[in-house]
Amino acid sequence: MDNADRLELFSIGVPRAGAPALPTESFQTCTLLGKALIIDAPERKELLAALYKGIEESNGPANCFEPGFGLRATTNGETAELLICFECLQINVTFHGEARKLYTSDSPLEKFNAALTRAGVALP
């Protein structure tokens, strides 16, 4: 993820009034509210550092899974996708067709919301 050629952050979930979903795109099977391409190197580093810190802080999941965020990293034509729920503290990772589950804290939420807000994307 740190050396990805392309890093995209997705806002996913049920559209709020005045913030319709993008009609031609989705993230995995989720409704897409918007997305932000994370180009700025310091912002990228800050976002990923927050994600890694959340994973380190995890005490395990809750019983729900209603993801609000997606993260897609692409390098040399290979893509890793993370479907993230900060409410239940779970991350579903897909890479090379294999799925893996990670756990997180909610500490990255502020950085993820800030990145979407800077890009003018509706929050989940």
Side-chain angles (χ1 to χ4, degrees):
M1 307 259 329
D2 292 321
N3 299 315
D5 298 329
R6 183 176 177 93
L7 187 65
E8 297 171 278
L9 177 61
F10 298 85
S11 177
I12 55 181
V14 178
R16 296 183 180 158
L22 299 176
T24 59
E25 295 188 68
S26 64
F27 184 82
Q28 298 186 8
T29 60
C30 302
T31 302
L32 184 61
L33 300 176
K35 67 180 180 177
L37 183 58
I38 309 298
I39 297 170
D40 182 67
E43 181 179 24
R44 210 182 245 227
K45 185 176 180 178
E46 181 179 59
L47 189 67
L48 291 175
L51 177 66
Y52 301 151
K53 181 180 180 209
I55 292 169
E56 288 175 12
E57 294 173 342
S58 174
N59 290 322
N63 291 326
C64 69
F65 191 69
E66 296 181 21
F69 299 88
L71 197 60
R72 178 182 292 145
T74 305
T75 303
N76 298 325
E78 294 185 338
T79 300
E81 291 188 341
L82 285 69
L83 192 57
I84 305 166
C85 178
F86 288 120
E87 290 181 39
C88 66
L89 311 176
Q90 296 182 58
I91 303 171
N92 288 346
V93 179
T94 305
F95 185 63
H96 288 290
E98 294 184 25
R100 181 177 175 199
K101 190 173 292 280
L102 297 174
Y103 304 110
T104 183
S105 70
D106 65 355
S107 68
L109 181 61
E110 182 180 329
K111 301 288 184 191
F112 277 60
N113 280 342
L116 290 172
T117 299
R118 277 191 298 276
V121 174
L123 298 179

